Structures are given as structure tokens and as C-alpha cells.
Amino acid sequence: DVKVTQSSRYLVKRTGEKVFLECVQDMDHENMFWYRQDPGLGLRLIYFSYDVKMKEKGDIPEGYSVSREKKERFSLILESASTNQTSMYLCASSLWDVYGYTFGSGTRLTVV
Amino acid sequence: GQQVMQIPQYQHVQEGEDFTTYCNSSTTLSNIQWYKQRPGGHPVFLIQLVKSGEVKKQKRLTFQFGEAKKNSSLHITATQTTDVGTYFCAGLWEYGNKLVFGAGTILRVKS
């Protein structure tokens, strides 16, 4: 089975801190995605990547950046954390556009 | 941008009753996928529909893709407590490069 691993299950950070969320997949998938999930708003795409060193903005990229230096790893960076970035962050990967996504277990980030 | 509208937002059913959630797009979809997220868990891929009018079944779950490829439904027959969770549809448009998720339907089952 494809495994998508997110480095932390829970994180608490202070306002203004730079935050790194790490995601690693073990099945050589080309595509990787970062979503945030908030009650009543569903899954909103932050950034995605179809190849190493390639990135595209999703629907809500403001306040975030990403890095994909290796095919298996996709990092989400909060340049200066703010309280409105408190959320559940989900990483996903897929083989091609038309295949189902495999999600990681999520990181629940609280910014205080 | 393109959106997928999903209804209802919540559904509480008695165990043994049926459940249906619906997804609609204003434009033709290339394919639609369905995911289930258990409470405290992460979304898990259930199925993908590609063809107009397609119907697929997984045990008590029936998935349909509309003839115009603009709508889809997930129907659960005789719900069980193990069915609780949030069901998401996600659409992909022709020439699109990413899935767009609906807001999800939260299913609660009373035993």
C-alpha cells in the first residue's frame, strides 16, 4: 500500500514563527498536494507539485510556500505563522491526475 | 473557479435506514471521485467514476455518475454504525490539473 507520512500529528507554534510541515510518500508518485481542512469548508488546496522542483498555487496559497527538492518529499512552509492558520493540514499524493489520492494522517497545527 | 456543490451538509439516520449524498457541477466533469473520512481520520479514496451514466457498487454502497457528467451520487443501503464519517466527492474537469473537493456530507448513524 502507498504510504504518505506526515512528520507531526500535532503542533503548537507561536505567532510569527516559521513553521515547516513535512510529507513523505513511498510509492514514487509524481503528484503531491497540500490541503487544509476546516469545519464547514471542506478541503482547500494550498499548493501542489507535479514534479521535483515544480510547484503550482492552489486556491489559498497566501501565507504559505512549498519545497520539493526530492520526488518523495513535499514540504509546506508557513513563513510567519498567524492564528488564522490554525487548522488541520493534509498532505496527499497520486500517480497521475486521474487516479485517487492517498492522504497522510494529517497535522493539526495550533498557532497561539 | 470551478466548484462542486455537495448536499446535504449533515444527515442523521437510524441504523438500517438508507443514506444518499449528492454532488453537482455547473460544467461537465472529466471524472468524479468519492472519499470517506472517519471521525479523527483522514480521507480515504473509495472509487472513481469516468463514464457517462456509470454505476458502480461496493457492497452496500452504490455510486452513480450522471448522463451529462455534471452530477453524481453515493447511496448507502441499510446504514451501519461503521458508516459514520464524512463523505466527500471530488471532481476533475477536462484540461484541469487538480481535483476540486465538495464540502462533504457528515453522516451520523443512531443505533
Side-chain angles (χ1 to χ4, degrees), chain B residues 25-65:
Chain B
S25 166
S26 59
T27 54
T28 302
L29 295 163
S30 174
N31 72 61
I32 194 158
Q33 300 179 8
W34 286 91
Y35 292 77
K36 177 184 179 180
Q37 184 175 22
R38 295 181 185 275
H42 57 275
V44 175
F45 173 71
L46 294 176
I47 208 160
Q48 176 176 271
L49 303 171
V50 179
K51 299 177 183 176
S52 169
E54 190 169 16
V55 178
K56 288 188 176 180
K57 293 191 175 185
Q58 290 179 351
K59 297 183 180 178
R60 294 178 295 103
L61 277 61
T62 302
F63 304 84
Q64 291 189 326
F65 203 8

Side-chain angles (χ1 to χ4, degrees), chain A residues 1-2 7 18 20 25 28 30 39 42 47-48 53 69 71 87-88 91-92 95 98 100 112:
Chain A
D1 281 350
V2 178
S7 53
K18 191 169 185 176
F20 293 86
Q25 51 96 1
D28 204 34
E30 281 76 12
Y47 267 97
F48 59 106
K53 296 190 185 296
E69 296 295 319
K71 191 174 185 179
S87 185
M88 170 66 84
C91 175
L95 184 57
V98 294
V112 297

Side-chain angles (χ1 to χ4, degrees), chain A residues 9 33 35 37 40-43 45 48 50 56-59 90 97-106, chain B residues 9-10 30-31 33 35 37 40-45 48 86 88 92 96-104:
Chain A
R9 189 78 173 101
F33 308 85
Y35 288 87
Q37 184 174 25
L41 297 178
L43 293 155
L45 182 64
F48 59 106
Y50 286 115
E56 285 196 38
K57 293 181 180 179
D59 300 317
L90 289 160
D97 293 339
V98 294
Y99 284 81
Y101 291 8
T102 300
F103 283 86
S105 298
Chain B
Q9 189 175 7
Y10 301 97
S30 174
N31 72 61
Q33 300 179 8
Y35 292 77
Q37 184 175 22
H42 57 275
V44 175
F45 173 71
Q48 176 176 271
T86 303
F88 293 97
L92 183 68
N97 57 5
K98 61 186 188 296
L99 286 178
V100 175
F101 282 80

Side-chain angles (χ1 to χ4, degrees), chain A residues 12-79:
Chain A
V12 180
K13 296 292 182 180
R14 294 192 180 277
T15 301
E17 276 193 79
K18 191 169 185 176
V19 181
F20 293 86
L21 302 182
E22 305 289 343
C23 176
V24 178
Q25 51 96 1
D26 66 358
M27 282 299 288
D28 204 34
H29 282 180
E30 281 76 12
N31 307 328
M32 297 189 76
F33 308 85
W34 274 107
Y35 288 87
R36 64 176 284 177
Q37 184 174 25
D38 302 287
L41 297 178
L43 293 155
R44 293 182 292 167
L45 182 64
I46 305 171
Y47 267 97
F48 59 106
S49 169
Y50 286 115
D51 202 352
V52 175
K53 296 190 185 296
M54 176 273 175
K55 61 186 178 184
E56 285 196 38
K57 293 181 180 179
D59 300 317
I60 52 165
E62 296 77 20
Y64 303 94
S65 63
V66 291
S67 172
R68 194 167 181 198
E69 296 295 319
K70 294 184 178 181
K71 191 174 185 179
E72 67 271 17
R73 186 180 297 271
F74 192 34
S75 303
L76 179 69
I77 304 155
L78 285 65
E79 298 291 342

Side-chain angles (χ1 to χ4, degrees), chain B residues 56-94:
Chain B
K56 288 188 176 180
K57 293 191 175 185
Q58 290 179 351
K59 297 183 180 178
R60 294 178 295 103
L61 277 61
T62 302
F63 304 84
Q64 291 189 326
F65 203 8
E67 293 291 340
K69 298 182 72 173
K70 290 184 179 180
N71 58 77
S72 181
S73 65
L74 158 59
H75 180 83
I76 302 177
T77 303
T79 54
Q80 300 175 357
T81 54
T82 53
D83 295 325
V84 299
T86 303
Y87 292 85
F88 293 97
C89 61
L92 183 68
W93 285 264
E94 193 173 4

